[in-house]
Amino acid sequence: MAKILVIDDEEIIRERLKSLLTLDEYEVCVAEDGPKGLEVFQSESPQVVLLDIKMPGMDGIEVLQRLKKSAPDTEVIIITGHGGIETAIQALREGAFDYVNKPIEYDELVLSLKRALERRQLREQLSQHVKDLERANQELRHKQAQLIQAEKMAAIGTLAAGVAHEINNPLTAITMNTAFLLEALKGDESKFKKLRIIEKQADRAVEIVKGLLTFSRKGSESKKILSDIHQIIEDALKPVEHQMALGNIKLAREFGSDLPALLVNPNQIQQVFLNIITNARDAMLDGGQLTIKTRRFSLPLEGGGLGGGDFTPSRIDPSPPPLPQGERAFREVVAGGVVVEFSDTGQGIPAEELSKIFDPFYTTKKPGQGTGLGLYISYEIIKSHNGEIVVKSEVGKGATFTITLPAHI
Ligand SMILES: Nc1ncnc2c1ncn2[C@@H]1O[C@H](COP(=O)(O)OP(=O)(O)OP(=O)(O)O)[C@@H](O)[C@H]1O
Ligand SMILES: [Mg+2]
């Protein structure tokens, strides 16, 4: 039922309009002057206002201006006195929808009222369409960004795996021959030491190559078993927990209850967590806090907008998310899953670097301290679990890595 507010100082007009409009099944509220009218308007939010122009105190034009300022979508029909054509024109300029003359022709008024309501409805529909379009546009931009990033990661992955593969053979020759020479040079301390250095560096290269080849090899499908995500987190924390305490890094666990078991390769997921934890530790050299949160998510999910300053190799988005983006990706695929969030209070990551941290060999660590493969491998592992990994960070405000894993694949 449409709600109408009648603002008129003449009681007889107010009451007549009220009873006639009520009979026509409008909901009617009334006010006897401008200030009162504005008050009733605030509390009742009518769709249309019938407004007398000539009133003592605040006149109709001023009321109109104030109404339009606070609620531009309100339709106002002006009631003008005899010969009030000039004020009527002024009112139309100020945004009134229409005007009717006194003495009021009721049929004419109802006609105008109907048109005003129609216009309001159309406007509402239009704004809904605009919103829908904006949302569709945003989704489209996501998808484009997602495609570009997925292609980039695939291209980089192929290149990296190709290079790694080519390096594998010479490396095997180096390590095998080094081992042979080490045996042969056991008596010669100085040569033996130099050879040890070669061996150590070659082993490091072997590790890097192994990391790069993990996902390119066909048939190396990982073994997935039903696992408890909290157990995996604890296993990942074990090797670093003590060290973090020594470095003044507080650890906060905010684990959700009732999480579903996940069908994952626990060793791989542990590797992902360990890398994220060590990255956080390395970003908090002066101490800080690492908070690990877990929660389950079930579908269907509420919520819309995506990602402020977020980056995921499969999705970049400019606006803030009420939900980790991964959850949306699974919407049509699975019944739900688990969200694990690692938030540190470290130095953070500059916006322009966010899109690079998942690339292989991207590192800001000193030579020898990081290969830059940690997040690349993490990304590949999470992808192979049909999950998503998203980062959100601001310089000086720490970083949050959110991993979403579906419960069933
Ligand atoms: N929590 C974090 N805070 C700030 N910077 C981070 C964080 N996590 C990752 N980074 C940045 O991303 C880069 C890449 O991380 P990634 O784990 O891939 O490699 P790495 O840690 O440098 O080396 P590796 O993991 O191979 O030992 C890091 O060098 C760092 O600059
Ligand atoms: Mg790392």
PDB file of all heavy atoms in Angstrom, residues 341-378:
ATOM      1  N   GLU A 341      42.999 -18.909   8.022  1.00  0.00           N
ATOM      2  CA  GLU A 341      43.508 -17.554   7.822  1.00  0.00           C
ATOM      3  C   GLU A 341      44.753 -17.342   8.681  1.00  0.00           C
ATOM      4  O   GLU A 341      44.728 -17.585   9.883  1.00  0.00           O
ATOM      5  CB  GLU A 341      42.400 -16.599   8.268  1.00  0.00           C
ATOM      6  CG  GLU A 341      42.473 -15.241   7.651  1.00  0.00           C
ATOM      7  CD  GLU A 341      41.276 -14.428   8.114  1.00  0.00           C
ATOM      8  OE1 GLU A 341      40.224 -14.518   7.467  1.00  0.00           O
ATOM      9  OE2 GLU A 341      41.400 -13.740   9.146  1.00  0.00           O
ATOM     10  N   PHE A 342      45.835 -16.894   8.070  1.00  0.00           N
ATOM     11  CA  PHE A 342      47.064 -16.582   8.807  1.00  0.00           C
ATOM     12  C   PHE A 342      47.268 -15.067   8.742  1.00  0.00           C
ATOM     13  O   PHE A 342      47.516 -14.534   7.658  1.00  0.00           O
ATOM     14  CB  PHE A 342      48.273 -17.254   8.153  1.00  0.00           C
ATOM     15  CG  PHE A 342      48.230 -18.759   8.171  1.00  0.00           C
ATOM     16  CD1 PHE A 342      47.559 -19.462   7.182  1.00  0.00           C
ATOM     17  CD2 PHE A 342      48.872 -19.472   9.170  1.00  0.00           C
ATOM     18  CE1 PHE A 342      47.519 -20.850   7.188  1.00  0.00           C
ATOM     19  CE2 PHE A 342      48.845 -20.862   9.191  1.00  0.00           C
ATOM     20  CZ  PHE A 342      48.162 -21.559   8.195  1.00  0.00           C
ATOM     21  N   SER A 343      47.183 -14.391   9.888  1.00  0.00           N
ATOM     22  CA  SER A 343      47.392 -12.932   9.879  1.00  0.00           C
ATOM     23  C   SER A 343      48.613 -12.596  10.708  1.00  0.00           C
ATOM     24  O   SER A 343      48.696 -12.995  11.876  1.00  0.00           O
ATOM     25  CB  SER A 343      46.207 -12.199  10.499  1.00  0.00           C
ATOM     26  OG  SER A 343      45.051 -12.481   9.791  1.00  0.00           O
ATOM     27  N   ASP A 344      49.548 -11.862  10.102  1.00  0.00           N
ATOM     28  CA  ASP A 344      50.694 -11.428  10.896  1.00  0.00           C
ATOM     29  C   ASP A 344      50.696  -9.921  11.045  1.00  0.00           C
ATOM     30  O   ASP A 344      49.930  -9.224  10.383  1.00  0.00           O
ATOM     31  CB  ASP A 344      52.009 -11.923  10.264  1.00  0.00           C
ATOM     32  CG  ASP A 344      52.273 -11.314   8.903  1.00  0.00           C
ATOM     33  OD1 ASP A 344      52.362 -10.072   8.807  1.00  0.00           O
ATOM     34  OD2 ASP A 344      52.398 -12.082   7.916  1.00  0.00           O
ATOM     35  N   THR A 345      51.530  -9.441  11.952  1.00  0.00           N
ATOM     36  CA  THR A 345      51.595  -7.993  12.186  1.00  0.00           C
ATOM     37  C   THR A 345      52.934  -7.466  11.666  1.00  0.00           C
ATOM     38  O   THR A 345      53.495  -6.535  12.207  1.00  0.00           O
ATOM     39  CB  THR A 345      51.458  -7.680  13.690  1.00  0.00           C
ATOM     40  OG1 THR A 345      52.477  -8.432  14.381  1.00  0.00           O
ATOM     41  CG2 THR A 345      50.101  -8.066  14.224  1.00  0.00           C
ATOM     42  N   GLY A 346      53.437  -8.119  10.642  1.00  0.00           N
ATOM     43  CA  GLY A 346      54.756  -7.773  10.115  1.00  0.00           C
ATOM     44  C   GLY A 346      54.767  -6.550   9.214  1.00  0.00           C
ATOM     45  O   GLY A 346      53.832  -5.749   9.223  1.00  0.00           O
ATOM     46  N   GLN A 347      55.799  -6.462   8.403  1.00  0.00           N
ATOM     47  CA  GLN A 347      56.012  -5.246   7.601  1.00  0.00           C
ATOM     48  C   GLN A 347      55.002  -5.068   6.469  1.00  0.00           C
ATOM     49  O   GLN A 347      54.832  -3.987   5.950  1.00  0.00           O
ATOM     50  CB  GLN A 347      57.431  -5.261   7.017  1.00  0.00           C
ATOM     51  CG  GLN A 347      57.599  -6.202   5.845  1.00  0.00           C
ATOM     52  CD  GLN A 347      58.901  -6.980   5.893  1.00  0.00           C
ATOM     53  OE1 GLN A 347      59.578  -7.028   6.914  1.00  0.00           O
ATOM     54  NE2 GLN A 347      59.260  -7.592   4.782  1.00  0.00           N
ATOM     55  N   GLY A 348      54.335  -6.137   6.099  1.00  0.00           N
ATOM     56  CA  GLY A 348      53.346  -6.040   5.021  1.00  0.00           C
ATOM     57  C   GLY A 348      53.998  -6.086   3.651  1.00  0.00           C
ATOM     58  O   GLY A 348      55.224  -6.123   3.519  1.00  0.00           O
ATOM     59  N   ILE A 349      53.150  -6.077   2.641  1.00  0.00           N
ATOM     60  CA  ILE A 349      53.632  -6.196   1.259  1.00  0.00           C
ATOM     61  C   ILE A 349      53.097  -5.012   0.453  1.00  0.00           C
ATOM     62  O   ILE A 349      51.890  -4.753   0.475  1.00  0.00           O
ATOM     63  CB  ILE A 349      53.135  -7.520   0.622  1.00  0.00           C
ATOM     64  CG1 ILE A 349      53.525  -8.710   1.510  1.00  0.00           C
ATOM     65  CG2 ILE A 349      53.676  -7.692  -0.791  1.00  0.00           C
ATOM     66  CD1 ILE A 349      52.732  -9.963   1.257  1.00  0.00           C
ATOM     67  N   PRO A 350      53.969  -4.279  -0.242  1.00  0.00           N
ATOM     68  CA  PRO A 350      53.473  -3.148  -1.033  1.00  0.00           C
ATOM     69  C   PRO A 350      52.490  -3.607  -2.117  1.00  0.00           C
ATOM     70  O   PRO A 350      52.668  -4.703  -2.669  1.00  0.00           O
ATOM     71  CB  PRO A 350      54.744  -2.578  -1.693  1.00  0.00           C
ATOM     72  CG  PRO A 350      55.894  -3.216  -0.994  1.00  0.00           C
ATOM     73  CD  PRO A 350      55.411  -4.480  -0.360  1.00  0.00           C
ATOM     74  N   ALA A 351      51.499  -2.760  -2.398  1.00  0.00           N
ATOM     75  CA  ALA A 351      50.438  -3.126  -3.353  1.00  0.00           C
ATOM     76  C   ALA A 351      51.020  -3.618  -4.674  1.00  0.00           C
ATOM     77  O   ALA A 351      50.539  -4.603  -5.253  1.00  0.00           O
ATOM     78  CB  ALA A 351      49.519  -1.942  -3.579  1.00  0.00           C
ATOM     79  N   GLU A 352      52.067  -2.941  -5.155  1.00  0.00           N
ATOM     80  CA  GLU A 352      52.589  -3.304  -6.480  1.00  0.00           C
ATOM     81  C   GLU A 352      53.330  -4.657  -6.464  1.00  0.00           C
ATOM     82  O   GLU A 352      53.609  -5.225  -7.511  1.00  0.00           O
ATOM     83  CB  GLU A 352      53.457  -2.180  -7.054  1.00  0.00           C
ATOM     84  CG  GLU A 352      54.732  -1.848  -6.293  1.00  0.00           C
ATOM     85  CD  GLU A 352      54.506  -0.902  -5.112  1.00  0.00           C
ATOM     86  OE1 GLU A 352      53.342  -0.698  -4.714  1.00  0.00           O
ATOM     87  OE2 GLU A 352      55.503  -0.382  -4.578  1.00  0.00           O
ATOM     88  N   GLU A 353      53.637  -5.161  -5.263  1.00  0.00           N
ATOM     89  CA  GLU A 353      54.330  -6.446  -5.185  1.00  0.00           C
ATOM     90  C   GLU A 353      53.351  -7.618  -5.043  1.00  0.00           C
ATOM     91  O   GLU A 353      53.712  -8.761  -5.263  1.00  0.00           O
ATOM     92  CB  GLU A 353      55.279  -6.480  -3.960  1.00  0.00           C
ATOM     93  CG  GLU A 353      56.262  -5.327  -3.897  1.00  0.00           C
ATOM     94  CD  GLU A 353      57.301  -5.405  -4.983  1.00  0.00           C
ATOM     95  OE1 GLU A 353      57.937  -6.453  -5.102  1.00  0.00           O
ATOM     96  OE2 GLU A 353      57.453  -4.416  -5.735  1.00  0.00           O
ATOM     97  N   LEU A 354      52.112  -7.258  -4.646  1.00  0.00           N
ATOM     98  CA  LEU A 354      51.146  -8.322  -4.330  1.00  0.00           C
ATOM     99  C   LEU A 354      50.957  -9.308  -5.482  1.00  0.00           C
ATOM    100  O   LEU A 354      50.777 -10.492  -5.265  1.00  0.00           O
ATOM    101  CB  LEU A 354      49.791  -7.715  -3.963  1.00  0.00           C
ATOM    102  CG  LEU A 354      49.618  -7.282  -2.507  1.00  0.00           C
ATOM    103  CD1 LEU A 354      48.250  -6.663  -2.309  1.00  0.00           C
ATOM    104  CD2 LEU A 354      49.796  -8.453  -1.556  1.00  0.00           C
ATOM    105  N   SER A 355      50.987  -8.789  -6.704  1.00  0.00           N
ATOM    106  CA  SER A 355      50.726  -9.678  -7.835  1.00  0.00           C
ATOM    107  C   SER A 355      51.961 -10.510  -8.194  1.00  0.00           C
ATOM    108  O   SER A 355      51.903 -11.333  -9.088  1.00  0.00           O
ATOM    109  CB  SER A 355      50.276  -8.861  -9.041  1.00  0.00           C
ATOM    110  OG  SER A 355      51.306  -7.985  -9.398  1.00  0.00           O
ATOM    111  N   LYS A 356      53.079 -10.269  -7.502  1.00  0.00           N
ATOM    112  CA  LYS A 356      54.292 -10.999  -7.886  1.00  0.00           C
ATOM    113  C   LYS A 356      54.661 -12.092  -6.900  1.00  0.00           C
ATOM    114  O   LYS A 356      55.449 -12.976  -7.235  1.00  0.00           O
ATOM    115  CB  LYS A 356      55.476 -10.027  -7.957  1.00  0.00           C
ATOM    116  CG  LYS A 356      55.314  -8.961  -9.007  1.00  0.00           C
ATOM    117  CD  LYS A 356      56.576  -8.110  -9.062  1.00  0.00           C
ATOM    118  CE  LYS A 356      56.338  -6.813  -9.796  1.00  0.00           C
ATOM    119  NZ  LYS A 356      57.167  -5.737  -9.270  1.00  0.00           N
ATOM    120  N   ILE A 357      54.135 -12.007  -5.681  1.00  0.00           N
ATOM    121  CA  ILE A 357      54.687 -12.898  -4.657  1.00  0.00           C
ATOM    122  C   ILE A 357      54.440 -14.379  -4.919  1.00  0.00           C
ATOM    123  O   ILE A 357      55.109 -15.213  -4.360  1.00  0.00           O
ATOM    124  CB  ILE A 357      54.205 -12.522  -3.234  1.00  0.00           C
ATOM    125  CG1 ILE A 357      52.700 -12.641  -3.118  1.00  0.00           C
ATOM    126  CG2 ILE A 357      54.669 -11.140  -2.829  1.00  0.00           C
ATOM    127  CD1 ILE A 357      52.231 -12.549  -1.683  1.00  0.00           C
ATOM    128  N   PHE A 358      53.461 -14.689  -5.799  1.00  0.00           N
ATOM    129  CA  PHE A 358      53.222 -16.102  -6.110  1.00  0.00           C
ATOM    130  C   PHE A 358      54.079 -16.582  -7.280  1.00  0.00           C
ATOM    131  O   PHE A 358      54.071 -17.760  -7.609  1.00  0.00           O
ATOM    132  CB  PHE A 358      51.739 -16.339  -6.423  1.00  0.00           C
ATOM    133  CG  PHE A 358      50.845 -16.170  -5.223  1.00  0.00           C
ATOM    134  CD1 PHE A 358      50.197 -14.972  -4.980  1.00  0.00           C
ATOM    135  CD2 PHE A 358      50.665 -17.210  -4.329  1.00  0.00           C
ATOM    136  CE1 PHE A 358      49.374 -14.823  -3.875  1.00  0.00           C
ATOM    137  CE2 PHE A 358      49.854 -17.069  -3.221  1.00  0.00           C
ATOM    138  CZ  PHE A 358      49.206 -15.873  -2.981  1.00  0.00           C
ATOM    139  N   ASP A 359      54.779 -15.661  -7.924  1.00  0.00           N
ATOM    140  CA  ASP A 359      55.627 -16.064  -9.050  1.00  0.00           C
ATOM    141  C   ASP A 359      56.826 -16.861  -8.540  1.00  0.00           C
ATOM    142  O   ASP A 359      57.388 -16.533  -7.494  1.00  0.00           O
ATOM    143  CB  ASP A 359      56.163 -14.824  -9.801  1.00  0.00           C
ATOM    144  CG  ASP A 359      55.056 -14.044 -10.481  1.00  0.00           C
ATOM    145  OD1 ASP A 359      53.909 -14.525 -10.456  1.00  0.00           O
ATOM    146  OD2 ASP A 359      55.345 -12.960 -11.015  1.00  0.00           O
ATOM    147  N   PRO A 360      57.264 -17.881  -9.325  1.00  0.00           N
ATOM    148  CA  PRO A 360      58.449 -18.590  -8.877  1.00  0.00           C
ATOM    149  C   PRO A 360      59.661 -17.654  -8.881  1.00  0.00           C
ATOM    150  O   PRO A 360      59.788 -16.800  -9.757  1.00  0.00           O
ATOM    151  CB  PRO A 360      58.617 -19.713  -9.904  1.00  0.00           C
ATOM    152  CG  PRO A 360      57.750 -19.373 -11.046  1.00  0.00           C
ATOM    153  CD  PRO A 360      56.692 -18.440 -10.551  1.00  0.00           C
ATOM    154  N   PHE A 361      60.489 -17.778  -7.904  1.00  0.00           N
ATOM    155  CA  PHE A 361      61.744 -17.033  -7.738  1.00  0.00           C
ATOM    156  C   PHE A 361      61.548 -15.578  -7.318  1.00  0.00           C
ATOM    157  O   PHE A 361      62.503 -14.829  -7.260  1.00  0.00           O
ATOM    158  CB  PHE A 361      62.631 -17.102  -8.995  1.00  0.00           C
ATOM    159  CG  PHE A 361      62.975 -18.510  -9.368  1.00  0.00           C
ATOM    160  CD1 PHE A 361      62.507 -19.071 -10.530  1.00  0.00           C
ATOM    161  CD2 PHE A 361      63.735 -19.289  -8.504  1.00  0.00           C
ATOM    162  CE1 PHE A 361      62.787 -20.396 -10.858  1.00  0.00           C
ATOM    163  CE2 PHE A 361      64.026 -20.608  -8.811  1.00  0.00           C
ATOM    164  CZ  PHE A 361      63.561 -21.167  -9.993  1.00  0.00           C
ATOM    165  N   TYR A 362      60.315 -15.174  -7.045  1.00  0.00           N
ATOM    166  CA  TYR A 362      60.168 -13.825  -6.508  1.00  0.00           C
ATOM    167  C   TYR A 362      60.464 -13.883  -5.016  1.00  0.00           C
ATOM    168  O   TYR A 362      59.797 -14.571  -4.251  1.00  0.00           O
ATOM    169  CB  TYR A 362      58.757 -13.265  -6.725  1.00  0.00           C
ATOM    170  CG  TYR A 362      58.621 -11.928  -6.034  1.00  0.00           C
ATOM    171  CD1 TYR A 362      59.102 -10.771  -6.633  1.00  0.00           C
ATOM    172  CD2 TYR A 362      58.106 -11.846  -4.737  1.00  0.00           C
ATOM    173  CE1 TYR A 362      59.057  -9.565  -5.973  1.00  0.00           C
ATOM    174  CE2 TYR A 362      58.054 -10.637  -4.070  1.00  0.00           C
ATOM    175  CZ  TYR A 362      58.531  -9.502  -4.692  1.00  0.00           C
ATOM    176  OH  TYR A 362      58.508  -8.314  -4.030  1.00  0.00           O
ATOM    177  N   THR A 363      61.489 -13.177  -4.597  1.00  0.00           N
ATOM    178  CA  THR A 363      61.818 -13.123  -3.170  1.00  0.00           C
ATOM    179  C   THR A 363      62.412 -11.765  -2.844  1.00  0.00           C
ATOM    180  O   THR A 363      63.032 -11.137  -3.697  1.00  0.00           O
ATOM    181  CB  THR A 363      62.810 -14.244  -2.781  1.00  0.00           C
ATOM    182  OG1 THR A 363      63.087 -14.137  -1.382  1.00  0.00           O
ATOM    183  CG2 THR A 363      64.120 -14.158  -3.542  1.00  0.00           C
ATOM    184  N   THR A 364      62.207 -11.320  -1.611  1.00  0.00           N
ATOM    185  CA  THR A 364      62.868 -10.083  -1.181  1.00  0.00           C
ATOM    186  C   THR A 364      63.916 -10.430  -0.130  1.00  0.00           C
ATOM    187  O   THR A 364      64.465  -9.566   0.518  1.00  0.00           O
ATOM    188  CB  THR A 364      61.846  -9.103  -0.577  1.00  0.00           C
ATOM    189  OG1 THR A 364      61.127  -9.791   0.453  1.00  0.00           O
ATOM    190  CG2 THR A 364      60.886  -8.568  -1.614  1.00  0.00           C
ATOM    191  N   LYS A 365      64.115 -11.738   0.021  1.00  0.00           N
ATOM    192  CA  LYS A 365      65.074 -12.156   1.046  1.00  0.00           C
ATOM    193  C   LYS A 365      66.492 -12.135   0.486  1.00  0.00           C
ATOM    194  O   LYS A 365      66.684 -12.192  -0.728  1.00  0.00           O
ATOM    195  CB  LYS A 365      64.691 -13.536   1.568  1.00  0.00           C
ATOM    196  CG  LYS A 365      63.401 -13.438   2.349  1.00  0.00           C
ATOM    197  CD  LYS A 365      62.805 -14.749   2.742  1.00  0.00           C
ATOM    198  CE  LYS A 365      61.407 -14.470   3.293  1.00  0.00           C
ATOM    199  NZ  LYS A 365      60.647 -15.689   3.514  1.00  0.00           N
ATOM    200  N   LYS A 366      67.443 -12.082   1.407  1.00  0.00           N
ATOM    201  CA  LYS A 366      68.846 -12.025   0.982  1.00  0.00           C
ATOM    202  C   LYS A 366      69.210 -13.308   0.240  1.00  0.00           C
ATOM    203  O   LYS A 366      68.657 -14.371   0.538  1.00  0.00           O
ATOM    204  CB  LYS A 366      69.739 -11.886   2.216  1.00  0.00           C
ATOM    205  CG  LYS A 366      69.678 -10.521   2.829  1.00  0.00           C
ATOM    206  CD  LYS A 366      70.859 -10.343   3.781  1.00  0.00           C
ATOM    207  CE  LYS A 366      70.606  -9.172   4.694  1.00  0.00           C
ATOM    208  NZ  LYS A 366      70.256  -9.571   6.066  1.00  0.00           N
ATOM    209  N   PRO A 367      70.175 -13.225  -0.699  1.00  0.00           N
ATOM    210  CA  PRO A 367      70.576 -14.428  -1.423  1.00  0.00           C
ATOM    211  C   PRO A 367      70.936 -15.528  -0.429  1.00  0.00           C
ATOM    212  O   PRO A 367      71.599 -15.277   0.571  1.00  0.00           O
ATOM    213  CB  PRO A 367      71.813 -13.976  -2.208  1.00  0.00           C
ATOM    214  CG  PRO A 367      71.669 -12.496  -2.338  1.00  0.00           C
ATOM    215  CD  PRO A 367      70.909 -12.028  -1.138  1.00  0.00           C
ATOM    216  N   GLY A 368      70.458 -16.696  -0.711  1.00  0.00           N
ATOM    217  CA  GLY A 368      70.747 -17.819   0.178  1.00  0.00           C
ATOM    218  C   GLY A 368      69.694 -18.000   1.260  1.00  0.00           C
ATOM    219  O   GLY A 368      69.609 -19.037   1.884  1.00  0.00           O
ATOM    220  N   GLN A 369      68.869 -16.964   1.497  1.00  0.00           N
ATOM    221  CA  GLN A 369      67.867 -17.089   2.573  1.00  0.00           C
ATOM    222  C   GLN A 369      66.486 -17.509   2.063  1.00  0.00           C
ATOM    223  O   GLN A 369      65.661 -17.979   2.810  1.00  0.00           O
ATOM    224  CB  GLN A 369      67.740 -15.769   3.323  1.00  0.00           C
ATOM    225  CG  GLN A 369      68.939 -15.537   4.203  1.00  0.00           C
ATOM    226  CD  GLN A 369      68.755 -14.369   5.123  1.00  0.00           C
ATOM    227  OE1 GLN A 369      67.736 -13.705   5.104  1.00  0.00           O
ATOM    228  NE2 GLN A 369      69.769 -14.103   5.908  1.00  0.00           N
ATOM    229  N   GLY A 370      66.251 -17.262   0.807  1.00  0.00           N
ATOM    230  CA  GLY A 370      64.945 -17.667   0.263  1.00  0.00           C
ATOM    231  C   GLY A 370      65.081 -17.893  -1.222  1.00  0.00           C
ATOM    232  O   GLY A 370      65.828 -17.190  -1.907  1.00  0.00           O
ATOM    233  N   THR A 371      64.369 -18.896  -1.721  1.00  0.00           N
ATOM    234  CA  THR A 371      64.462 -19.142  -3.163  1.00  0.00           C
ATOM    235  C   THR A 371      63.328 -18.431  -3.899  1.00  0.00           C
ATOM    236  O   THR A 371      63.363 -18.282  -5.110  1.00  0.00           O
ATOM    237  CB  THR A 371      64.334 -20.647  -3.474  1.00  0.00           C
ATOM    238  OG1 THR A 371      63.103 -21.105  -2.922  1.00  0.00           O
ATOM    239  CG2 THR A 371      65.486 -21.410  -2.895  1.00  0.00           C
ATOM    240  N   GLY A 372      62.296 -18.042  -3.168  1.00  0.00           N
ATOM    241  CA  GLY A 372      61.136 -17.440  -3.825  1.00  0.00           C
ATOM    242  C   GLY A 372      60.214 -18.481  -4.415  1.00  0.00           C
ATOM    243  O   GLY A 372      59.353 -18.182  -5.239  1.00  0.00           O
ATOM    244  N   LEU A 373      60.392 -19.730  -3.968  1.00  0.00           N
ATOM    245  CA  LEU A 373      59.524 -20.786  -4.496  1.00  0.00           C
ATOM    246  C   LEU A 373      58.379 -21.133  -3.555  1.00  0.00           C
ATOM    247  O   LEU A 373      57.410 -21.776  -3.950  1.00  0.00           O
ATOM    248  CB  LEU A 373      60.342 -22.055  -4.753  1.00  0.00           C
ATOM    249  CG  LEU A 373      61.218 -22.047  -6.001  1.00  0.00           C
ATOM    250  CD1 LEU A 373      61.971 -23.365  -6.125  1.00  0.00           C
ATOM    251  CD2 LEU A 373      60.369 -21.814  -7.250  1.00  0.00           C
ATOM    252  N   GLY A 374      58.506 -20.685  -2.307  1.00  0.00           N
ATOM    253  CA  GLY A 374      57.539 -21.093  -1.281  1.00  0.00           C
ATOM    254  C   GLY A 374      56.096 -20.856  -1.693  1.00  0.00           C
ATOM    255  O   GLY A 374      55.282 -21.786  -1.696  1.00  0.00           O
ATOM    256  N   LEU A 375      55.778 -19.634  -2.070  1.00  0.00           N
ATOM    257  CA  LEU A 375      54.377 -19.322  -2.381  1.00  0.00           C
ATOM    258  C   LEU A 375      53.945 -19.892  -3.727  1.00  0.00           C
ATOM    259  O   LEU A 375      52.781 -20.209  -3.925  1.00  0.00           O
ATOM    260  CB  LEU A 375      54.139 -17.808  -2.328  1.00  0.00           C
ATOM    261  CG  LEU A 375      54.073 -17.230  -0.913  1.00  0.00           C
ATOM    262  CD1 LEU A 375      53.946 -15.715  -0.954  1.00  0.00           C
ATOM    263  CD2 LEU A 375      52.901 -17.830  -0.140  1.00  0.00           C
ATOM    264  N   TYR A 376      54.896 -19.989  -4.633  1.00  0.00           N
ATOM    265  CA  TYR A 376      54.550 -20.589  -5.930  1.00  0.00           C
ATOM    266  C   TYR A 376      54.114 -22.038  -5.718  1.00  0.00           C
ATOM    267  O   TYR A 376      53.070 -22.473  -6.209  1.00  0.00           O
ATOM    268  CB  TYR A 376      55.758 -20.519  -6.877  1.00  0.00           C
ATOM    269  CG  TYR A 376      55.563 -21.327  -8.130  1.00  0.00           C
ATOM    270  CD1 TYR A 376      54.622 -20.938  -9.080  1.00  0.00           C
ATOM    271  CD2 TYR A 376      56.288 -22.500  -8.348  1.00  0.00           C
ATOM    272  CE1 TYR A 376      54.416 -21.695 -10.225  1.00  0.00           C
ATOM    273  CE2 TYR A 376      56.087 -23.251  -9.486  1.00  0.00           C
ATOM    274  CZ  TYR A 376      55.151 -22.849 -10.419  1.00  0.00           C
ATOM    275  OH  TYR A 376      54.943 -23.607 -11.544  1.00  0.00           O
ATOM    276  N   ILE A 377      54.926 -22.760  -4.952  1.00  0.00           N
ATOM    277  CA  ILE A 377      54.592 -24.165  -4.687  1.00  0.00           C
ATOM    278  C   ILE A 377      53.295 -24.247  -3.874  1.00  0.00           C
ATOM    279  O   ILE A 377      52.433 -25.084  -4.142  1.00  0.00           O
ATOM    280  CB  ILE A 377      55.775 -24.871  -3.984  1.00  0.00           C
ATOM    281  CG1 ILE A 377      56.939 -24.979  -4.977  1.00  0.00           C
ATOM    282  CG2 ILE A 377      55.378 -26.243  -3.475  1.00  0.00           C
ATOM    283  CD1 ILE A 377      58.226 -25.498  -4.389  1.00  0.00           C
ATOM    284  N   SER A 378      53.145 -23.330  -2.921  1.00  0.00           N
ATOM    285  CA  SER A 378      51.910 -23.315  -2.115  1.00  0.00           C
ATOM    286  C   SER A 378      50.699 -23.137  -3.030  1.00  0.00           C
ATOM    287  O   SER A 378      49.692 -23.819  -2.899  1.00  0.00           O
ATOM    288  CB  SER A 378      51.932 -22.172  -1.104  1.00  0.00           C
ATOM    289  OG  SER A 378      53.049 -22.299  -0.263  1.00  0.00           O
TER     290      SER A 378
END
